[in-house]
Each structure stands twice: as structure tokens, then as C-alpha cells.
């Protein structure tokens, strides 16, 4: 009878040791996978930010190049009507500033629309945490039942 208890204890100890080793390996693999997912997701978010910045830069180039020519024409055209060069330049300048501001707000909206939080990684880590807690409870119950 005493021999049977020792054999059962050795089997439980050895199975417990293999469970711990397996758990350590799986947790390590899980953490690696979560880090890889976070890297991939952040690379995607950085790409989205780059697209928003590119839109702002393109808007700036259009604003600068296209409107410079139109500004000169508008100022000269308005000056023929008003006969006051400074007032013509002021009116055209205010209109251009308003257009530029609208374009800038459009670029900023694109950046705000990009949520920089890695949502898939966060939900995956939360799921892993919940699963680990569930398995922890099961392991405790199993150890109680074996004793």
C-alpha cells in the first residue's frame, strides 16, 4: 500500500512537472505571438498615419502652386473693378486663407479617423488573460480532486 502511494505521488509530481514545462512553453509562444501581432498592427497604423500626412502635404502643394497663379489673376481682376490694389489683394488673400483652412481641416480629420490603439492585439490579450484565468481555476480544482 505504501509503495502504491509513492508511485502515485511520483506520477503526480512528474505529470505536474510536465504540465508546468508545457505551460511555460505555451505562455512563451503566446507572448511571442502577441508581440508579433502588435508589431504588425502598429505597422498598419503607421501606414495610415503616413497616408494622412501625405494628404496634407499634397493639399499644401496644391494650395501653394495652384493658388499663386490664381491669386495674381484675382488680384489684377479685382483691381480693375475696385481701382484699389491693396483692397483687392486683401479680399483675395482672405478667400485663399479660408480655402487653405478647409483643406487643412480635411487632412486633420483623416489623422483623427486613424485610431492608433492596436485594438486586435488588446482584445487578443484580454481573451488570453480570460482563458488563462479559466484554466487556472480548472487546474486548482483538478489538483484538489487528485489529493
Amino acid at each position: 500500500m505504501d509503495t502504491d502511494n509513492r508511485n502515485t505521488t511520483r506520477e503526480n509530481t512528474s505529470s505536474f512537472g510536465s504540465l508546468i514545462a508545457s505551460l511555460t512553453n505555451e505562455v512563451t509562444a503566446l507572448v511571442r505571438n502577441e508581440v508579433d501581432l502588435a508589431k504588425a498592427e502598429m505597422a498598419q497604423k503607421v501606414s495610415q498615419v503616413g497616408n494622412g500626412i501625405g494628404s496634407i502635404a499634397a493639399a499644401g502643394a496644391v494650395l501653394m502652386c495652384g493658388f499663386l497663379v490664381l491669386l495674381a489673376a484675382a488680384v489684377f481682376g479685382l483691381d480693375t473693378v475696385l481701382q484699389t490694389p491693396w483692397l483687392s489683394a486683401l479680399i483675395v488673400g482672405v478667400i485663399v486663407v479660408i480655402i487653405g483652412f478647409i483643406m487643412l481641416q480635411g487632412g486633420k480629420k483623416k489623422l483623427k479617423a486613424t485610431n492608433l490603439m492596436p485594438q486586435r492585439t488588446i482584445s487578443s490579450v484580454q481573451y488570453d488573460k480570460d482563458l488563462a484565468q479559466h484554466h487556472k481555476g480548472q487546474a486548482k480544482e483538478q489538483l484538489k480532486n487528485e489529493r
Side-chain angles (χ1 to χ4, degrees):
M1 186 83 157
D2 192 31
T3 307
D4 288 338
N5 283 341
R6 280 188 227 152
N7 287 341
T8 304
T9 304
R10 284 182 189 157
E11 287 174 12
N12 286 343
T13 304
S14 112
S15 67
F16 183 73
S18 66
L19 280 174
I20 294 297
S22 175
L23 177 67
T24 302
N25 290 336
E26 289 180 19
V27 167
T28 302
L30 178 66
V31 168
R32 269 194 212 114
N33 290 340
E34 295 299 343
V35 168
D36 289 343
L37 178 61
K39 285 179 185 177
E41 201 168 350
M42 288 309 293
Q44 182 182 17
K45 299 295 181 179
V46 167
S47 174
Q48 289 174 348
V49 169
N51 288 338
I53 291 172
S55 294
I56 290 174
V62 167
L63 183 68
M64 187 64 121
C65 297
F67 285 116
L68 285 177
V69 173
L70 292 175
L71 287 176
V75 169
F76 288 131
L78 196 56
D79 185 43
T80 59
V81 174
L82 296 178
Q83 299 293 320
T84 312
W86 67 269
L87 185 58
S88 300
L90 180 66
I91 291 170
V92 171
V94 167
I95 291 171
V96 169
V97 166
I98 291 171
I99 292 170
F101 183 75
I102 291 169
M103 291 177 76
L104 180 65
Q105 293 305 316
K108 286 171 71 175
K109 277 185 184 178
K110 286 183 181 181
L111 287 177
K112 284 183 182 177
T114 304
N115 184 359
L116 297 179
M117 294 295 291
Q119 293 298 332
R120 290 182 297 180
T121 302
I122 290 171
S123 66
S124 179
V125 168
Q126 182 63 43
Y127 174 77
D128 295 340
K129 177 186 168 192
D130 294 342
L131 189 63
Q133 286 177 343
H134 175 72
H135 286 297
K136 177 183 172 184
Q138 283 183 338
K140 283 183 178 180
E141 284 181 33
Q142 199 173 28
L143 282 174
K144 284 180 185 178
N145 292 338
E146 288 179 6
R147 290 182 184 174

